[in-house]
Amino acid sequence: MGQAPIQLGRNGCESCAIRNRAVCGALDDAELRELGRIGRFRHYKAGDVILADQEPTTFFANVVSGVIKLEKMSSDGRQQIVGLLFPPDFLGRAYSRTNPYFAQAATDVEICAYPHSQFEQLLRKNPELEHRLFEDTLSELDAAREWMFVLGRKSAQEKVASFLHLIAKRQPMIGCSHIHQPGPARFELPLTRSDIADFLGLTIETVSRQLSKLKRQGTIQIVGGREVTVPDLRELGLTAGGENEAVA
């Protein structure tokens, strides 16, 4: 269930790789030091449960590295991946003590965790921080609605291409310049093919067929089953269903 939390320390926030992109980017230096005093780094191995569905939780967190799966489970035990979190996404629901989903590490994960009560005190004291969190929440809602469109209206090939395009856009090692112009991208799939099928509402066989088809077309290259190279992100975006995918 993860290693023991590690205190951020004096320079933890200043040297954080996601500082300017996370909600804490709304804080000035003094406020950032205050956040650093309550923050703790936590590490999880792939497969570890970070938050359990509907159980009381004690912290919020920013994702520093890795990918987290958000999952719902039906009363008869069926499981569905309903979302993915990447750096610098926010984990948890402000002003709530429970979560409506399981949060499980899809890869090795590092998060920066803040106790509920102390983080909410900072929100009340700092309107800019609260506003930034609100904006991020609305962006997450927009992304969820976009993904509903992917699942409801796109073909199997477009779904798989959309998933690959999503991962490519969110990989920290891929700069924005590569997203907005033709060029290669390389990343490791954070999900198994079974998880990809679950996330896309497809069968494992369909996912495998569509990956093979994209490979034959030259849209992607696959090495070792998990390492994907995309020669041109714009082409992948068009295969995913339109120009919007290519330049998002």
Side-chain angles (χ1 to χ4, degrees), residues 80-91:
Q80 174 71 44
I81 298 175
V82 296
L84 298 174
L85 297 183
F86 305 83
D89 291 340
F90 190 78
L91 175 64

Side-chain angles (χ1 to χ4, degrees), residues 80-128:
Q80 174 71 44
I81 298 175
V82 296
L84 298 174
L85 297 183
F86 305 83
D89 291 340
F90 190 78
L91 175 64
R93 303 181 69 184
Y95 307 113
S96 175
R97 294 296 181 268
T98 60
N99 289 282
Y101 43 68
F102 284 96
Q104 184 180 29
T107 65
D108 290 350
V109 166
E110 181 180 39
I111 62 173
C112 184
Y114 320 109
H116 271 160
S117 59
Q118 291 167 284
F119 185 78
E120 288 174 354
Q121 287 175 15
L122 281 179
L123 287 177
R124 296 185 185 98
K125 288 167 53 179
N126 192 300
E128 288 298 322

Side-chain angles (χ1 to χ4, degrees), residues 57-203:
T57 59
T58 60
F59 66 89
F60 306 116
N62 277 123
V63 183
V64 177
S65 65
V67 180
I68 296 174
K69 300 184 294 184
L70 303 180
E71 302 171 305
K72 289 290 291 183
M73 187 170 293
S74 65
S75 57
D76 61 2
R78 288 177 295 173
Q79 179 179 294
Q80 174 71 44
I81 298 175
V82 296
L84 298 174
L85 297 183
F86 305 83
D89 291 340
F90 190 78
L91 175 64
R93 303 181 69 184
Y95 307 113
S96 175
R97 294 296 181 268
T98 60
N99 289 282
Y101 43 68
F102 284 96
Q104 184 180 29
T107 65
D108 290 350
V109 166
E110 181 180 39
I111 62 173
C112 184
Y114 320 109
H116 271 160
S117 59
Q118 291 167 284
F119 185 78
E120 288 174 354
Q121 287 175 15
L122 281 179
L123 287 177
R124 296 185 185 98
K125 288 167 53 179
N126 192 300
E128 288 298 322
L129 179 62
E130 190 170 40
H131 182 74
R132 179 72 168 264
L133 182 60
F134 180 66
E135 285 185 328
D136 288 354
T137 301
L138 290 179
S139 295
E140 183 180 335
L141 178 60
D142 288 341
R145 288 170 173 166
E146 287 293 326
W147 199 249
M148 287 176 64
F149 174 74
V150 170
L151 297 181
R153 294 297 180 183
K154 292 193 175 185
S155 67
Q157 184 181 49
E158 289 172 334
K159 288 181 180 181
V160 173
S162 293
F163 170 76
L164 295 174
H165 198 260
L166 168 68
I167 300 303
K169 288 192 299 180
R170 298 303 300 267
Q171 288 296 310
M173 70 286 297
I174 299 176
C176 292
S177 61
H178 290 91
I179 294 171
H180 293 283
Q181 65 185 26
R186 182 177 292 107
F187 55 88
E188 185 170 325
L189 289 173
L191 302 183
T192 65
R193 294 197 181 190
S194 176
D195 279 343
I196 295 171
D198 181 33
F199 188 44
L200 298 177
L202 302 171
T203 65

Side-chain angles (χ1 to χ4, degrees), residues 206-221:
T206 298
V207 169
S208 295
R209 282 197 301 269
Q210 295 305 323
L211 288 172
S212 297
K213 183 176 180 180
L214 290 169
K215 182 178 179 181
R216 287 196 305 271
Q217 292 172 344
T219 307
I220 63 171
Q221 301 163 7

